[in-house]
Amino acid sequence: MAEEKARTRGAAEIDDTVPHSARIWDYWLGGKDCYEVDREAGERVRAVYPDIVTLARVGRHFIGRTVRYLVQEAGIRQFLDLGTGLPTVDNTHEVAQRAAPEARVVYVDNDPLVLAHAHALLTSSPEGATDYVQAEVEDPEAVLRAAARTLDLGRPVAVMLMGILAHVADYEEARSIVRRLMSALPSGSYLAVRDGTDTDPRYVKALRDYNRSGAVPYHPRSPAQVAAFLDGLELVEPGFVPCPLWRPEAADLVFGTSSPLYGGVGRKP
């Protein structure tokens, strides 16, 4: 009953007159959990940057590869996934629990539509656990307090920041968020970061148009600025690179190497 009430509250708060990044991303990935306003915003970006659909898939593949690495090679069994977006194929908990059924995953997002779908679809394996926290990335302390209901923050945790930090307009605030999250976690924890960069003028122009749509703006930064989110951590090979080059699998090679989407993984010493 409490879960049903939470879903009802979330549905009542959904605004289908303003585009939302999670729903636009879902549209680019071929999903149906979006509104006309999201489709229109997505098409405006695609008109300027036709590769955006491919880029969305690049980002999705990168998540899968990083989670598999963290579970299979780094031995991580706890994940804190911020800005998770709408559930789609191979969500973090599905990839993690496929390799380690006891893995525990907490998703964080601020969109009520994501909340409603998360309650319905993000179901755990019997051995593990998944939870969803409706919160703002700008309040990492609140995120950590809520995550502690499911995760043991005294043991290593992998923090997933996939495409979320570029929504934080102030660069120093974004860096502060990362520092506050990682400082609360023990040695052996990991940070996985992925964000769009300013390396492709067409992509930058498309995002400029996107930012005028009413959705929460997305601010591409230089690769060096995004890489700095991993400062103080031990970079996992091959380092901070265009996403298709990070431990690629056969399916990723079709995306090419000039992607403006960069990513990397670092371990807290």
Side-chain angles (χ1 to χ4, degrees):
M1 181 63 70
E3 179 177 286
E4 189 59 41
K5 287 181 179 177
R7 290 187 207 173
T8 303
R9 283 198 304 272
E13 296 166 3
I14 295 168
D15 185 350
D16 63 2
T17 67
V18 177
H20 190 282
S21 60
R23 302 194 304 256
I24 296 170
W25 194 261
D26 178 72
Y27 173 64
W28 288 330
L29 286 169
K32 305 301 181 185
D33 297 313
C34 52
Y35 299 108
E36 185 60 28
V37 67
D38 305 307
R39 292 188 285 272
E40 290 174 357
E43 281 304 312
R44 284 196 296 272
V45 172
R46 184 151 65 171
V48 177
Y49 186 69
D51 291 336
I52 192 64
V53 171
T54 298
L55 201 67
R57 293 173 182 167
V58 165
R60 201 72 209 167
H61 281 232
F62 179 74
I63 293 173
R65 297 199 306 281
T66 56
V67 173
R68 283 192 291 274
Y69 165 79
L70 288 164
V71 173
Q72 296 172 350
E73 298 187 44
I76 291 293
R77 295 296 182 267
Q78 302 190 108
F79 291 82
L80 179 58
D81 187 336
L82 290 91
T84 179
L86 285 161
T88 181
V89 295
D90 276 354
N91 302 287
T92 296
H93 77 284
E94 292 169 325
V95 177
Q97 292 179 351
R98 197 177 297 140
E102 72 277 17
R104 305 174 76 82
V105 179
V106 172
Y107 293 102
V108 182
D109 207 286
N110 65 353
D111 182 6
L113 183 62
V114 175
L115 172 64
H117 282 267
H119 279 308
L121 299 175
L122 300 182
T123 55
S124 173
S125 67
E127 303 92 334
T130 65
D131 193 14
Y132 178 89
V133 173
Q134 188 170 9
E136 302 286 345
V137 69
E138 289 87 353
D139 191 354
E141 289 76 21
V143 168
L144 290 163
R145 285 194 300 272
R149 297 195 299 261
T150 302
L151 307 180
D152 178 357
L153 301 186
R155 295 173 51 235
V157 175
V159 175
M160 310 285 288
L161 292 170
M162 299 293 178
I164 185 66
L165 291 172
H167 285 297
V168 181
D170 184 87
Y171 179 58
E172 289 308 319
E173 181 184 7
R175 293 195 68 181
S176 171
I177 289 167
V178 174
R179 286 194 297 267
R180 287 146 67 193
L181 286 168
M182 296 308 295
S183 67
L185 300 176
S187 172
S189 293
Y190 283 80
L191 172 64
V193 170
R194 183 207 75 207
D195 253 327
T197 67
D198 60 5
T199 57
D200 187 327
R202 296 174 307 142
Y203 177 63
V204 172
K205 183 181 185 307
L207 288 176
R208 239 184 255 122
D209 295 343
Y210 166 88
N211 290 347
R212 289 194 288 265
S213 72
V216 177
Y218 190 89
H219 307 278
R221 298 183 168 110
S222 71
Q225 285 178 306
V226 182
F229 292 133
L230 293 158
D231 282 355
L233 305 178
E234 300 167 347
L235 277 182
V236 172
E237 290 294 335
F240 186 79
V241 295
C243 286
L245 298 182
W246 200 90
R247 295 175 174 249
E249 297 168 355
D252 305 299
L253 299 178
V254 302
F255 294 125
T257 60
S258 60
S259 167
L261 211 58
Y262 275 64
V265 176
R267 180 185 182 276
K268 183 174 179 178

